[in-house]
Amino acid sequence: NAGVMQNPRHLVRRRGQEARLRCSPMKGHSHVYWYRQLPEEGLKFMVYLQKENIIDESGMPKERFSAEFPKEGPSILRIQQVVRGDSAAYFCASSPRPRNEQFFGPGTRLTVL
Amino acid sequence: EDKVVQSPLSLVVHEGDTVTLNCSYEVTNFRSLLWYKQEKKAPTFLFMLTSSGIEKKSGRLSSILDKKELFSILNITATQTGDSAVYLCAVDENTGNQFYFGTGTSLTVIP
């Protein structure tokens, strides 16, 4: 009965490279949320997806960031041309329905050199 | 700008002490307030509160919501070293799709 899975757990990229973060929700959950946590800050909402649809991307930077949740496979958060300021922990959460408590994955810690 | 404010930012107590963590919020269309415990990994869900004045309890942890004064408290009695973590408070609105998180209270319990 696996929980939310994220990989990789740690990712190091040089400036200008691409980062791909993956999230597999809990079994039976079709709602996925991505959050970013900077040092000394709280979790900041980025995007909410349901299978094949982006429902709310109001927290996503307008450039370089994109997210998808295909019919098959994990949700992907993609950051193009990473910069040092992208270094953070990125958490994914899932829920079986909207407005339910969200269950979090262990996070991916992205370090941009 | 911050919709959810937690206090204190950090707290150091001795095992056996009782602690109270505070969370105040300001949202226009409140739906629920949630407490999470975050150790060095994923935040784990503790409580969801939707109604004022009804205490939720789980072992040594309890929480209550005051919708009139717009705050919640999380109490931990007889603290143990395993309670050391960051405790996060989040608020959900009826409009919108996100939880608004506070910056958390870092609790350290020393033996």
Side-chain angles (χ1 to χ4, degrees):
Chain A
N1 196 9
V4 178
M5 313 276 280
Q6 286 187 253
N7 68 81
R9 294 291 303 278
H10 300 274
L11 183 61
V12 179
R13 284 285 177 267
R14 296 194 181 279
R15 277 181 298 168
Q17 292 184 318
E18 179 181 284
R20 279 185 177 238
L21 287 61
R22 293 174 189 78
C23 168
S24 297
M26 284 179 74
K27 191 176 178 182
H29 289 195
S30 58
H31 301 263
V32 165
Y33 308 80
W34 285 94
Y35 291 85
R36 177 163 65 177
Q37 188 174 40
L38 294 165
E40 311 301 324
E41 291 189 19
L43 289 158
K44 300 288 187 197
F45 168 80
M46 297 181 74
V47 61
Y48 162 43
L49 309 107
Q50 219 179 327
K51 276 287 185 184
E52 299 186 272
N53 292 307
I54 297 174
I55 308 299
D56 182 347
E57 56 183 347
S58 58
M60 199 95 112
K62 295 281 184 281
E63 295 174 352
R64 302 188 296 108
F65 285 71
S66 62
E68 62 178 19
F69 189 14
K71 190 176 177 183
E72 301 291 338
S75 175
I76 308 275
L77 179 68
R78 185 179 172 212
I79 312 172
Q80 294 178 291
Q81 298 176 316
V82 295
V83 301
R84 288 219 174 100
D86 297 333
S87 296
Y90 292 84
F91 287 93
C92 164
S94 73
S95 66
R97 291 172 294 280
R99 305 296 179 209
N100 245 55
E101 66 262 25
Q102 296 172 13
F103 295 86
F104 282 81
T108 293
R109 299 198 183 274
L110 172 66
T111 302
V112 180
L113 302 178
Chain B
E1 164 75 27
D2 286 343
K3 295 199 179 206
V4 180
V5 177
Q6 291 186 247
S7 64
L9 288 181
S10 65
L11 196 53
V12 180
V13 300
H14 287 96
E15 263 191 322
D17 288 350
T18 293
V19 297
T20 299
L21 311 183
N22 303 291
C23 174
S24 62
Y25 61 90
E26 192 175 325
V27 297
T28 49
N29 224 333
F30 175 86
R31 183 177 184 273
S32 63
L33 184 145
L34 298 92
W35 284 98
Y36 285 85
K37 177 183 181 182
Q38 185 177 23
E39 294 167 272
K40 289 198 186 296
K41 44 188 190 318
T44 51
F45 172 77
L46 294 175
F47 299 112
M48 176 187 266
L49 302 145
T50 55
S51 303
S52 262
I54 298 174
E55 186 183 52
K56 292 232 175 167
K57 206 165 166 58
S58 175
R60 296 176 294 102
L61 276 66
S62 63
S63 183
I64 198 159
L65 174 69
D66 186 328
K67 286 164 79 170
K68 187 179 173 190
E69 298 297 329
L70 308 183
F71 77 92
S72 172
I73 59 171
L74 175 69
N75 274 323
I76 310 175
T77 58
T79 50
Q80 302 171 357
T81 53
D83 295 328
S84 297
V86 174
Y87 290 84
L88 299 169
C89 170
V91 167
D92 181 22
E93 287 184 295
N94 276 313
T95 53
N97 297 291
Q98 59 176 290
F99 287 175
Y100 295 95
F101 279 85
T103 52
T105 293
S106 175
L107 173 66
T108 303
V109 181
I110 52 180

